[in-house]
Amino acid sequence: MTRRSAFAIDVPDALLARVRRGDRVAFEQVYRWFERPVFNLALRLCGNRAEADEVLQDTMLKAWSAIAGFRGDGGSPFWGWLRQIAVNEALMHLRRQRRLELELDGDADCDLLMDGGPLPPAAADAALLQRAIASLPAVTRSVLWLYHAEGYTHDEIAAVMQRSASFSKSQLARGTRRLRQLLQVEVASSPKEAIHA
């Protein structure tokens, strides 16, 4: 079951129409509704509050300047459009800082751990999980957050990160494995590991 995004806030068409006409009070209302989801996404992807604040401001400025281009064609909701802007802004921020550069060594064994399932049971301790996630490399943390919290598919993650779906799967596996280590969750040996033991 995919978790519903914190962005999934229905914005009335009348409010969006006011925002399109340049009504700053209407935009302030939209800003307040989405301030926390945008900030939280940016915090999870960038890793610190100052950068998350910067991404929040950049996202909202871009949304304000581009709102006339939002049509909601095909039933796509405003929140999905805004979330995409936030993801793009956070990833651009990381790219500018060259924090999406990776050490890809060690990815070869990620296929052994490709469960893609829910995070470990120890994740119930939110503070511990938050610290563990914050310690991950930016790209791994981003893939984990987009996949588990925002419900992105591997193909969608690949598209926004300008990589392949297998890259997304590999990073998810790497991040899940590292979280299990950090949270001290024991993982049953895979069949391949048992053969080599």
Side-chain angles (χ1 to χ4, degrees):
M1 183 173 116
T2 303
R3 182 178 166 193
R4 183 173 164 91
S5 173
F7 279 82
I9 300 167
D10 292 326
V11 179
D13 290 337
L15 182 61
L16 284 177
R18 288 175 49 208
V19 173
R20 281 192 188 104
R21 289 192 303 267
D23 184 331
R24 292 181 184 271
V25 173
F27 184 73
E28 183 177 342
Q29 184 173 356
V30 170
Y31 182 101
R32 295 294 168 222
W33 286 354
F34 288 97
E35 181 177 21
R36 171 162 268 166
V38 171
F39 179 83
N40 285 338
L41 181 137
L43 180 62
R44 297 302 178 242
L45 272 58
C46 296
N48 73 58
R49 298 182 83 70
E51 292 176 89
D53 278 332
E54 198 174 309
V55 170
L56 169 63
Q57 297 309 313
D58 291 346
T59 297
M60 293 308 200
L61 285 172
K62 183 162 277 185
W64 173 253
S65 65
I67 189 69
F70 172 73
R71 299 281 177 242
D73 298 334
S76 64
F78 173 80
W79 66 264
W81 178 77
L82 184 64
R83 180 178 71 173
Q84 191 61 52
I85 293 173
V87 168
N88 290 342
E89 289 299 315
L91 293 177
M92 282 194 318
H93 185 83
L94 292 173
R95 280 186 194 103
R96 280 192 300 269
Q97 297 180 342
R98 303 188 61 80
R99 288 174 48 201
L100 286 182
E101 303 294 322
L102 296 177
E103 305 109 23
L104 294 175
D105 299 338
D107 274 353
D109 64 338
C110 283
D111 290 336
L112 299 175
L113 301 166
M114 199 67 66
D115 59 17
L119 292 175
D125 181 348
L128 178 62
L129 178 62
Q130 204 167 29
R131 284 191 301 275
I133 290 173
S135 73
L136 296 173
V139 70
T140 305
R141 183 176 59 242
S142 298
V143 170
L144 276 168
W145 186 261
L146 292 174
Y147 185 84
H148 284 294
E150 294 300 327
Y152 275 51
T153 66
H154 289 297
D155 289 335
E156 291 168 332
I157 293 169
V160 298
M161 297 192 94
Q162 301 170 354
R163 303 285 185 144
S164 66
S166 62
F167 170 83
S168 175
K169 291 174 186 177
S170 172
Q171 288 303 307
L172 180 66
R174 172 184 266 190
T176 301
R177 180 182 63 213
R178 185 67 183 132
L179 282 179
R180 285 183 174 137
Q181 291 169 345
L182 291 169
L183 298 171
Q184 299 177 356
V185 175
E186 290 192 22
V187 181
S189 296
S190 74
K192 284 188 179 179
E193 291 170 329
I195 291 171
H196 296 296

